[in-house]
Every structure is written in C-alpha cells, then in structure tokens.
CSV table of all heavy atoms in Angstrom, one decimal:
chain,number,residue,atom,x,y,z
A,1,MET,N,57.0,70.3,105.9
A,1,MET,CA,57.3,71.5,106.5
A,1,MET,C,58.1,72.5,105.6
A,1,MET,O,59.3,72.3,105.4
A,1,MET,CB,58.1,71.3,107.8
A,1,MET,CG,57.5,72.0,109.0
A,1,MET,SD,58.2,71.4,110.5
A,1,MET,CE,59.1,72.8,110.9
A,2,PRO,N,57.5,73.4,105.0
A,2,PRO,CA,58.2,74.3,104.1
A,2,PRO,C,59.0,75.4,104.8
A,2,PRO,O,58.6,76.5,104.8
A,2,PRO,CB,57.1,74.9,103.3
A,2,PRO,CG,55.9,74.8,104.2
A,2,PRO,CD,56.1,73.7,105.1
A,3,ALA,N,60.1,75.0,105.4
A,3,ALA,CA,60.9,76.0,106.1
A,3,ALA,C,62.2,76.2,105.4
A,3,ALA,O,63.3,75.9,105.9
A,3,ALA,CB,61.1,75.5,107.5
A,4,LYS,N,62.1,76.8,104.3
A,4,LYS,CA,63.3,77.1,103.5
A,4,LYS,C,64.1,78.3,104.0
A,4,LYS,O,63.4,79.3,104.4
A,4,LYS,CB,63.0,77.3,102.0
A,4,LYS,CG,62.8,76.0,101.3
A,4,LYS,CD,62.6,76.2,99.8
A,4,LYS,CE,62.4,74.9,99.1
A,4,LYS,NZ,62.1,75.2,97.7
A,5,PRO,N,65.3,78.3,104.0
A,5,PRO,CA,66.1,79.5,104.5
A,5,PRO,C,66.1,80.6,103.5
A,5,PRO,O,67.1,80.9,102.8
A,5,PRO,CB,67.5,78.9,104.7
A,5,PRO,CG,67.6,77.7,103.8
A,5,PRO,CD,66.2,77.2,103.6
A,6,LYS,N,65.0,81.2,103.3
A,6,LYS,CA,64.9,82.3,102.3
A,6,LYS,C,65.8,83.5,102.7
A,6,LYS,O,66.5,84.0,101.8
A,6,LYS,CB,63.4,82.8,102.4
A,6,LYS,CG,62.8,82.8,101.0
A,6,LYS,CD,61.4,83.3,101.1
A,6,LYS,CE,60.5,83.0,99.9
A,6,LYS,NZ,59.2,83.5,100.0
A,7,LYS,N,65.8,83.8,103.9
A,7,LYS,CA,66.6,85.0,104.3
A,7,LYS,C,68.1,84.7,104.1
A,7,LYS,O,68.8,85.6,103.6
A,7,LYS,CB,66.4,85.2,105.8
A,7,LYS,CG,66.5,86.7,106.1
A,7,LYS,CD,66.0,86.9,107.6
A,7,LYS,CE,66.1,88.3,108.0
A,7,LYS,NZ,65.8,88.5,109.4
A,8,ALA,N,68.6,83.5,104.5
A,8,ALA,CA,70.0,83.2,104.4
A,8,ALA,C,70.5,83.2,102.9
A,8,ALA,O,71.5,83.8,102.6
A,8,ALA,CB,70.3,81.9,105.0
A,9,ALA,N,69.7,82.7,102.0
A,9,ALA,CA,70.1,82.6,100.6
A,9,ALA,C,70.2,84.0,100.1
A,9,ALA,O,71.1,84.3,99.3
A,9,ALA,CB,69.0,81.8,99.9
A,10,ARG,N,69.3,84.9,100.4
A,10,ARG,CA,69.3,86.3,99.9
A,10,ARG,C,70.5,87.0,100.5
A,10,ARG,O,71.1,87.8,99.8
A,10,ARG,CB,68.0,86.9,100.3
A,10,ARG,CG,67.6,88.0,99.4
A,10,ARG,CD,66.2,88.6,99.8
A,10,ARG,NE,66.0,89.9,99.2
A,10,ARG,CZ,65.0,90.7,99.5
A,10,ARG,NH1,64.1,90.3,100.4
A,10,ARG,NH2,64.9,91.8,99.0
A,11,ALA,N,70.7,86.8,101.8
A,11,ALA,CA,71.8,87.6,102.4
A,11,ALA,C,73.2,87.1,101.8
A,11,ALA,O,74.1,87.9,101.6
A,11,ALA,CB,71.8,87.4,103.9
A,12,GLY,N,73.3,85.9,101.5
A,12,GLY,CA,74.5,85.4,101.0
A,12,GLY,C,74.9,86.0,99.6
A,12,GLY,O,76.0,86.3,99.3
A,13,LYS,N,73.8,86.3,98.8
A,13,LYS,CA,74.0,86.9,97.5
A,13,LYS,C,74.5,88.3,97.7
A,13,LYS,O,75.3,88.8,97.0
A,13,LYS,CB,72.7,86.8,96.7
A,13,LYS,CG,73.0,86.1,95.4
A,13,LYS,CD,71.6,86.0,94.6
A,13,LYS,CE,71.8,85.2,93.4
A,13,LYS,NZ,70.5,85.1,92.7
A,14,ALA,N,73.8,89.0,98.5
A,14,ALA,CA,74.0,90.5,98.7
A,14,ALA,C,75.4,90.7,99.4
A,14,ALA,O,76.0,91.7,99.1
A,14,ALA,CB,72.9,91.1,99.5
A,15,ALA,N,75.8,89.9,100.3
A,15,ALA,CA,77.0,90.1,101.0
A,15,ALA,C,78.2,90.1,100.2
A,15,ALA,O,79.3,90.5,100.6
A,15,ALA,CB,77.1,89.1,102.1
A,16,ALA,N,78.1,89.5,99.0
A,16,ALA,CA,79.3,89.4,98.1
A,16,ALA,C,79.7,90.8,97.6
A,16,ALA,O,80.9,91.0,97.4
A,16,ALA,CB,78.9,88.5,97.0
A,17,LYS,N,78.8,91.7,97.5
A,17,LYS,CA,79.1,93.0,97.0
A,17,LYS,C,78.8,94.1,98.0
A,17,LYS,O,77.6,94.4,98.2
A,17,LYS,CB,78.4,93.3,95.7
A,17,LYS,CG,78.8,92.4,94.6
A,17,LYS,CD,77.8,92.5,93.4
A,17,LYS,CE,78.1,91.5,92.4
A,17,LYS,NZ,77.1,91.5,91.4
A,18,ARG,N,79.8,94.6,98.6
A,18,ARG,CA,79.6,95.6,99.6
A,18,ARG,C,80.6,96.8,99.4
A,18,ARG,O,81.8,96.5,99.1
A,18,ARG,CB,79.8,95.1,101.0
A,18,ARG,CG,78.6,94.3,101.5
A,18,ARG,CD,78.2,94.8,102.9
A,18,ARG,NE,76.9,94.4,103.2
A,18,ARG,CZ,76.4,94.3,104.4
A,18,ARG,NH1,77.2,94.6,105.4
A,18,ARG,NH2,75.2,94.0,104.7
A,19,CYS,N,80.1,98.0,99.6
A,19,CYS,CA,81.0,99.1,99.4
A,19,CYS,C,82.1,99.1,100.4
A,19,CYS,O,81.9,99.0,101.6
A,19,CYS,CB,80.2,100.4,99.5
A,19,CYS,SG,81.2,101.9,99.5
A,20,PRO,N,83.4,99.1,100.0
A,20,PRO,CA,84.5,99.0,101.0
A,20,PRO,C,84.7,100.3,101.7
A,20,PRO,O,85.5,100.4,102.7
A,20,PRO,CB,85.7,98.7,100.1
A,20,PRO,CG,85.3,99.1,98.7
A,20,PRO,CD,83.8,99.0,98.6
A,21,ILE,N,84.0,101.4,101.3
A,21,ILE,CA,84.2,102.6,102.0
A,21,ILE,C,83.2,102.8,103.1
A,21,ILE,O,83.6,103.1,104.3
A,21,ILE,CB,84.0,103.8,101.0
A,21,ILE,CG1,85.0,103.7,99.8
A,21,ILE,CG2,84.1,105.1,101.7
A,21,ILE,CD1,86.4,103.8,100.2
A,22,CYS,N,81.9,102.6,102.9
A,22,CYS,CA,80.9,102.8,103.9
A,22,CYS,C,80.2,101.5,104.3
A,22,CYS,O,79.5,101.5,105.3
A,22,CYS,CB,79.9,103.9,103.4
A,22,CYS,SG,78.9,103.3,102.0
A,23,GLY,N,80.4,100.4,103.6
A,23,GLY,CA,79.8,99.2,103.9
A,23,GLY,C,78.4,99.0,103.4
A,23,GLY,O,77.8,97.9,103.7
A,24,LYS,N,77.9,99.9,102.7
A,24,LYS,CA,76.5,99.8,102.1
A,24,LYS,C,76.6,98.8,100.9
A,24,LYS,O,77.6,98.6,100.3
A,24,LYS,CB,76.0,101.1,101.7
A,24,LYS,CG,75.5,102.0,102.8
A,24,LYS,CD,75.0,103.3,102.2
A,24,LYS,CE,74.7,104.3,103.4
A,24,LYS,NZ,74.4,105.6,102.9
A,25,PRO,N,75.4,98.2,100.6
A,25,PRO,CA,75.4,97.3,99.4
A,25,PRO,C,75.8,98.1,98.2
A,25,PRO,O,75.3,99.2,97.9
A,25,PRO,CB,73.9,96.9,99.4
A,25,PRO,CG,73.4,97.2,100.7
A,25,PRO,CD,74.2,98.3,101.3
A,26,ALA,N,76.6,97.5,97.4
A,26,ALA,CA,77.1,98.1,96.2
A,26,ALA,C,76.0,98.1,95.1
A,26,ALA,O,75.2,97.3,95.1
A,26,ALA,CB,78.3,97.4,95.7
A,27,THR,N,76.1,99.1,94.2
A,27,THR,CA,75.2,99.2,93.1
A,27,THR,C,75.8,98.8,91.8
A,27,THR,O,77.1,98.8,91.7
A,27,THR,CB,74.7,100.7,92.9
A,27,THR,OG1,75.8,101.5,92.7
A,27,THR,CG2,74.0,101.1,94.2
A,28,GLU,N,75.0,98.4,90.9
A,28,GLU,CA,75.6,97.9,89.6
A,28,GLU,C,76.4,99.0,88.9
A,28,GLU,O,77.4,98.7,88.3
A,28,GLU,CB,74.4,97.4,88.7
A,28,GLU,CG,73.8,96.1,89.2
A,28,GLU,CD,74.2,95.0,88.3
A,28,GLU,OE1,74.6,95.2,87.2
A,28,GLU,OE2,74.1,93.9,88.7
A,29,ALA,N,75.9,100.2,89.0
A,29,ALA,CA,76.5,101.3,88.3
A,29,ALA,C,77.9,101.6,88.8
A,29,ALA,O,78.8,102.1,88.1
A,29,ALA,CB,75.6,102.5,88.3
A,30,SER,N,78.1,101.4,90.1
A,30,SER,CA,79.4,101.9,90.7
A,30,SER,C,80.1,100.8,91.4
A,30,SER,O,80.8,101.0,92.4
A,30,SER,CB,79.1,103.0,91.7
A,30,SER,OG,78.2,103.9,91.2
A,31,ARG,N,80.0,99.6,91.0
A,31,ARG,CA,80.7,98.4,91.6
A,31,ARG,C,82.2,98.7,91.7
A,31,ARG,O,82.7,99.3,90.7
A,31,ARG,CB,80.4,97.2,90.8
A,31,ARG,CG,79.1,96.5,91.2
A,31,ARG,CD,79.0,95.2,90.5
A,31,ARG,NE,79.0,95.4,89.1
A,31,ARG,CZ,78.8,94.4,88.2
A,31,ARG,NH1,78.7,93.2,88.6
A,31,ARG,NH2,78.8,94.7,86.9
A,32,PRO,N,82.9,98.3,92.7
A,32,PRO,CA,82.2,97.6,93.9
A,32,PRO,C,81.8,98.5,94.9
A,32,PRO,O,81.6,98.1,96.1
A,32,PRO,CB,83.4,96.7,94.4
A,32,PRO,CG,84.6,97.6,94.1
A,32,PRO,CD,84.3,98.3,92.9
A,33,PHE,N,81.6,99.8,94.6
A,33,PHE,CA,81.2,100.8,95.6
A,33,PHE,C,79.7,101.0,95.5
A,33,PHE,O,79.0,100.6,94.5
A,33,PHE,CB,81.9,102.1,95.3
A,33,PHE,CG,83.4,101.9,95.3
A,33,PHE,CD1,84.1,101.8,94.2
A,33,PHE,CD2,84.1,101.8,96.5
A,33,PHE,CE1,85.5,101.6,94.2
A,33,PHE,CE2,85.5,101.6,96.6
A,33,PHE,CZ,86.2,101.5,95.4
A,34,CYS,N,79.1,101.8,96.5
A,34,CYS,CA,77.7,102.0,96.5
A,34,CYS,C,77.3,103.2,95.7
A,34,CYS,O,76.2,103.4,95.3
A,34,CYS,CB,77.3,102.2,97.9
A,34,CYS,SG,77.8,103.7,98.7
A,35,SER,N,78.3,104.1,95.4
A,35,SER,CA,78.0,105.3,94.7
A,35,SER,C,79.3,105.9,94.1
A,35,SER,O,80.4,105.4,94.5
A,35,SER,CB,77.4,106.3,95.6
A,35,SER,OG,78.3,106.7,96.6
A,36,GLU,N,79.2,106.8,93.2
A,36,GLU,CA,80.4,107.4,92.6
A,36,GLU,C,81.2,108.2,93.6
A,36,GLU,O,82.4,108.3,93.5
A,36,GLU,CB,79.9,108.3,91.5
A,36,GLU,CG,79.7,107.6,90.2
A,36,GLU,CD,79.5,108.6,89.0
A,36,GLU,OE1,80.3,109.5,88.9
A,36,GLU,OE2,78.6,108.3,88.3
A,37,ARG,N,80.5,108.7,94.6
A,37,ARG,CA,81.2,109.4,95.7
A,37,ARG,C,82.1,108.6,96.4
A,37,ARG,O,83.3,108.9,96.7
A,37,ARG,CB,80.1,110.0,96.6
A,37,ARG,CG,80.7,111.2,97.4
A,37,ARG,CD,79.9,111.5,98.6
A,37,ARG,NE,78.8,112.3,98.4
A,37,ARG,CZ,77.8,112.5,99.3
A,37,ARG,NH1,77.9,112.0,100.5
A,37,ARG,NH2,76.8,113.3,99.1
A,38,CYS,N,81.7,107.4,96.8
A,38,CYS,CA,82.5,106.4,97.5
A,38,CYS,C,83.7,106.0,96.6
A,38,CYS,O,84.8,105.8,97.1
A,38,CYS,CB,81.7,105.2,98.0
A,38,CYS,SG,80.9,105.6,99.5
A,39,ARG,N,83.4,105.8,95.4
A,39,ARG,CA,84.5,105.5,94.4
A,39,ARG,C,85.6,106.6,94.4
A,39,ARG,O,86.8,106.3,94.3
A,39,ARG,CB,83.9,105.2,93.0
A,39,ARG,CG,85.0,104.6,92.1
A,39,ARG,CD,84.3,104.1,90.9
A,39,ARG,NE,83.6,105.1,90.2
A,39,ARG,CZ,82.9,105.0,89.1
A,39,ARG,NH1,82.8,103.7,88.6
A,39,ARG,NH2,82.2,105.9,88.5
A,40,ASP,N,85.1,107.8,94.4
A,40,ASP,CA,86.0,108.9,94.4
A,40,ASP,C,86.8,109.0,95.7
A,40,ASP,O,88.0,109.3,95.7
A,40,ASP,CB,85.2,110.2,94.3
A,40,ASP,CG,85.6,111.0,93.1
A,40,ASP,OD1,85.8,110.4,92.0
A,40,ASP,OD2,85.7,112.2,93.2
A,41,VAL,N,86.2,108.7,96.8
A,41,VAL,CA,86.9,108.7,98.1
A,41,VAL,C,88.0,107.7,98.1
A,41,VAL,O,89.1,107.9,98.5
A,41,VAL,CB,85.9,108.4,99.3
A,41,VAL,CG1,86.6,108.1,100.6
A,41,VAL,CG2,84.9,109.5,99.4
A,42,ASP,N,87.7,106.5,97.6
A,42,ASP,CA,88.7,105.5,97.5
A,42,ASP,C,89.9,105.9,96.6
A,42,ASP,O,91.0,105.7,97.0
A,42,ASP,CB,88.1,104.2,97.0
A,42,ASP,CG,89.0,103.0,97.1
A,42,ASP,OD1,89.3,102.6,98.2
A,42,ASP,OD2,89.5,102.6,96.0
A,43,LEU,N,89.5,106.4,95.5
A,43,LEU,CA,90.6,106.9,94.6
A,43,LEU,C,91.5,107.9,95.2
A,43,LEU,O,92.7,107.9,95.1
A,43,LEU,CB,89.9,107.4,93.3
A,43,LEU,CG,90.9,107.7,92.2
A,43,LEU,CD1,91.5,106.4,91.6
A,43,LEU,CD2,90.2,108.5,91.1
A,44,ASN,N,90.8,108.9,95.8
A,44,ASN,CA,91.6,110.0,96.4
A,44,ASN,C,92.5,109.5,97.5
A,44,ASN,O,93.7,109.9,97.7
A,44,ASN,CB,90.6,111.0,97.1
A,44,ASN,CG,90.3,112.1,96.0
A,44,ASN,OD1,91.1,112.5,95.2
A,44,ASN,ND2,89.0,112.5,96.1
A,45,ARG,N,92.0,108.5,98.3
A,45,ARG,CA,92.8,108.0,99.4
A,45,ARG,C,94.0,107.2,98.8
A,45,ARG,O,95.1,107.3,99.3
A,45,ARG,CB,91.9,107.0,100.2
A,45,ARG,CG,92.7,106.5,101.4
A,45,ARG,CD,91.8,106.0,102.5
A,45,ARG,NE,90.6,105.3,102.0
A,45,ARG,CZ,89.8,104.6,102.9
A,45,ARG,NH1,90.0,104.6,104.1
A,45,ARG,NH2,88.7,104.0,102.5
A,46,TRP,N,93.7,106.5,97.7
A,46,TRP,CA,94.8,105.8,97.1
A,46,TRP,C,95.9,106.7,96.5
A,46,TRP,O,97.1,106.5,96.7
A,46,TRP,CB,94.2,104.9,96.0
A,46,TRP,CG,95.0,103.8,95.6
A,46,TRP,CD1,95.0,102.5,96.2
A,46,TRP,CD2,96.0,103.7,94.6
A,46,TRP,NE1,95.9,101.7,95.6
A,46,TRP,CE2,96.5,102.4,94.6
A,46,TRP,CE3,96.4,104.6,93.6
A,46,TRP,CZ2,97.5,102.0,93.7
A,46,TRP,CZ3,97.4,104.2,92.7
A,46,TRP,CH2,97.9,102.9,92.7
A,47,LEU,N,95.4,107.8,95.9
A,47,LEU,CA,96.4,108.7,95.2
A,47,LEU,C,97.2,109.5,96.3
A,47,LEU,O,98.4,109.6,96.2
A,47,LEU,CB,95.6,109.7,94.4
A,47,LEU,CG,95.1,109.1,93.1
A,47,LEU,CD1,94.3,110.2,92.3
A,47,LEU,CD2,96.2,108.7,92.2
A,48,SER,N,96.5,110.0,97.3
A,48,SER,CA,97.3,110.7,98.3
A,48,SER,C,98.2,109.8,99.1
A,48,SER,O,99.3,110.3,99.6
A,48,SER,CB,96.3,111.4,99.3
A,48,SER,OG,95.4,110.4,99.8
A,49,ASN,N,97.9,108.6,99.1
A,49,ASN,CA,98.8,107.7,99.8
A,49,ASN,C,100.1,107.4,99.0
A,49,ASN,O,101.2,107.4,99.6
A,49,ASN,CB,98.1,106.3,100.0
A,49,ASN,CG,97.8,106.1,101.5
A,49,ASN,OD1,98.4,106.7,102.4
A,49,ASN,ND2,96.8,105.2,101.8
A,50,SER,N,100.0,107.3,97.7
A,50,SER,CA,101.1,107.0,96.9
A,50,SER,C,101.9,108.3,96.6
A,50,SER,O,103.0,108.3,96.1
A,50,SER,CB,100.7,106.3,95.6
A,50,SER,OG,99.8,107.1,95.0
A,51,TYR,N,101.3,109.4,96.9
A,51,TYR,CA,102.0,110.7,96.7
A,51,TYR,C,103.0,111.0,97.8
A,51,TYR,O,104.1,111.5,97.6
A,51,TYR,CB,101.0,111.8,96.8
A,51,TYR,CG,100.8,112.5,95.5
A,51,TYR,CD1,99.6,112.3,94.7
A,51,TYR,CD2,101.8,113.3,94.9
A,51,TYR,CE1,99.4,112.9,93.5
A,51,TYR,CE2,101.6,113.9,93.7
A,51,TYR,CZ,100.4,113.7,93.0
A,51,TYR,OH,100.3,114.3,91.8
A,52,VAL,N,102.7,110.5,99.0
A,52,VAL,CA,103.5,110.8,100.2
A,52,VAL,C,104.9,110.0,100.2
A,52,VAL,O,105.9,110.6,100.5
A,52,VAL,CB,102.8,110.5,101.5
A,52,VAL,CG1,103.7,110.7,102.7
A,52,VAL,CG2,101.5,111.4,101.6
A,53,ILE,N,104.8,108.8,99.7
A,53,ILE,CA,106.0,107.9,99.8
A,53,ILE,C,107.2,108.4,99.0
A,53,ILE,O,108.2,108.6,99.5
A,53,ILE,CB,105.5,106.5,99.5
A,53,ILE,CG1,104.5,106.0,100.5
A,53,ILE,CG2,106.8,105.6,99.6
A,53,ILE,CD1,103.7,104.8,100.0
A,54,PRO,N,107.0,108.6,97.7
A,54,PRO,CA,108.2,108.9,96.9
A,54,PRO,C,108.7,110.3,97.2
A,54,PRO,O,109.9,110.6,97.0
A,54,PRO,CB,107.6,108.9,95.4
A,54,PRO,CG,106.1,108.9,95.5
A,54,PRO,CD,105.8,108.5,96.9
A,55,ALA,N,107.9,111.2,97.6
A,55,ALA,CA,108.3,112.6,97.9
A,55,ALA,C,109.3,112.6,99.0
A,55,ALA,O,110.3,113.3,99.0
A,55,ALA,CB,107.1,113.5,98.2
A,56,ALA,N,109.1,111.9,100.1
A,56,ALA,CA,109.9,111.9,101.3
A,56,ALA,C,111.2,111.1,101.0
A,56,ALA,O,112.2,111.4,101.6
A,56,ALA,CB,109.2,111.2,102.4
A,57,LYS,N,111.2,110.3,100.0
A,57,LYS,CA,112.4,109.5,99.8
A,57,LYS,C,113.4,110.3,99.0
A,57,LYS,O,114.6,110.2,99.2
A,57,LYS,CB,111.9,108.2,98.9
A,57,LYS,CG,112.8,107.1,99.2
A,57,LYS,CD,112.3,105.9,98.4
A,57,LYS,CE,113.2,104.6,98.6
A,57,LYS,NZ,112.7,103.5,97.7
A,58,ASP,N,112.9,111.0,98.0
A,58,ASP,CA,113.9,111.7,97.1
A,58,ASP,C,114.5,113.0,97.8
A,58,ASP,O,115.6,113.3,97.5
A,58,ASP,CB,113.1,112.1,95.9
A,58,ASP,CG,113.5,111.3,94.7
A,58,ASP,OD1,114.6,110.6,94.8
A,58,ASP,OD2,112.8,111.3,93.7
A,59,ASP,N,113.8,113.6,98.6
A,59,ASP,CA,114.2,114.9,99.2
A,59,ASP,C,115.2,114.6,100.3
A,59,ASP,O,116.0,115.6,100.7
A,59,ASP,CB,113.0,115.6,99.7
A,59,ASP,CG,112.7,116.8,98.8
A,59,ASP,OD1,113.3,116.8,97.7
A,59,ASP,OD2,111.9,117.7,99.1
A,60,ASP,N,115.3,113.5,100.8
A,60,ASP,CA,116.2,113.2,102.0
A,60,ASP,C,117.7,113.3,101.7
A,60,ASP,O,118.4,113.8,102.4
A,60,ASP,CB,115.8,111.8,102.6
A,60,ASP,CG,115.4,111.9,104.0
A,60,ASP,OD1,115.0,113.0,104.4
A,60,ASP,OD2,115.5,110.9,104.8
A,61,GLU,N,118.0,112.9,100.5
A,61,GLU,CA,119.5,112.9,100.2
A,61,GLU,C,120.0,114.3,100.1
A,61,GLU,O,121.2,114.6,100.4
A,61,GLU,CB,119.6,112.1,98.9
A,61,GLU,CG,120.1,110.7,99.1
A,61,GLU,CD,120.4,110.0,97.8
A,61,GLU,OE1,121.3,110.4,97.1
A,61,GLU,OE2,119.6,109.1,97.4
A,62,ASP,N,119.2,115.2,99.5
A,62,ASP,CA,119.6,116.5,99.3
A,62,ASP,C,119.8,117.3,100.6
A,62,ASP,O,120.6,118.2,100.8
A,62,ASP,CB,118.6,117.3,98.4
A,62,ASP,CG,119.4,118.1,97.4
A,62,ASP,OD1,120.3,117.5,96.8
A,62,ASP,OD2,119.1,119.2,97.2
A,63,ALA,N,119.0,116.9,101.6
A,63,ALA,CA,118.9,117.7,102.9
A,63,ALA,C,120.2,117.4,103.7
A,63,ALA,O,120.7,118.3,104.4
A,63,ALA,CB,117.7,117.2,103.7
A,64,GLU,N,120.8,116.3,103.5
A,64,GLU,CA,122.0,116.0,104.3
A,64,GLU,C,123.2,116.5,103.6
A,64,GLU,O,124.2,116.7,103.8
A,64,GLU,CB,122.1,114.5,104.6
A,64,GLU,CG,121.1,114.2,105.7
A,64,GLU,CD,121.4,112.8,106.2
A,64,GLU,OE1,122.0,112.0,105.5
A,64,GLU,OE2,120.9,112.4,107.3
B,101,ZN,ZN1,79.7,103.6,99.9
C-alpha cells in the first residue's frame, strides 16, 4: 500500500519559513520575510518602537 505522507512532508518543510508580518511563505530573496515590503514593515516597527522609549526617559527629569 503506497500511502506515503506526501503532503505532510512538504508542509513540514515550508512551515519552517514564514513571513512574521503577514504569515505568507517566505521567499529566498527576502528571508525570513515574503517580500521586501514586509521586511520594511518589520524594520519600521522596530525602529519606531526603540525611538519612543529613550525620548520619554530623558525629558522627564527636566520637566519637574
Ligand atoms: Zn509578508
């Protein structure tokens, strides 16, 4: 009975690389993202996040 789990083996390989932004399969060119746009989104989110923290910390001392 040739009932090999073809589907499972293929899915296991593809599931390893998924775009963390939109969840689509990642491409070789923009790993681990699916496209340059998603890579940009992630970078922007990362940058804007680290921008907010130090600004609020330094200005507080002067205000009081
Ligand atoms: Zn994506």
Side-chain angles (χ1 to χ4, degrees):
M1 231 169 106
K4 278 189 181 176
K6 235 181 194 178
K7 213 173 179 182
R10 205 175 162 188
K13 232 178 189 180
K17 292 168 192 174
R18 282 229 162 159
C19 176
I21 301 299
C22 67
K24 283 181 188 174
T27 59
E28 288 254 339
S30 319
R31 272 185 303 180
F33 305 100
C34 71
S35 63
E36 274 188 48
R37 201 201 273 170
C38 276
R39 190 167 57 183
D40 240 41
V41 170
D42 185 72
L43 186 71
N44 270 324
R45 187 159 35 170
W46 203 85
L47 283 178
S48 54
N49 251 338
S50 54
Y51 248 108
V52 176
I53 298 162
K57 208 176 179 186
D58 253 343
D59 256 11
D60 237 22
E61 260 184 68
D62 225 47
E64 281 193 343

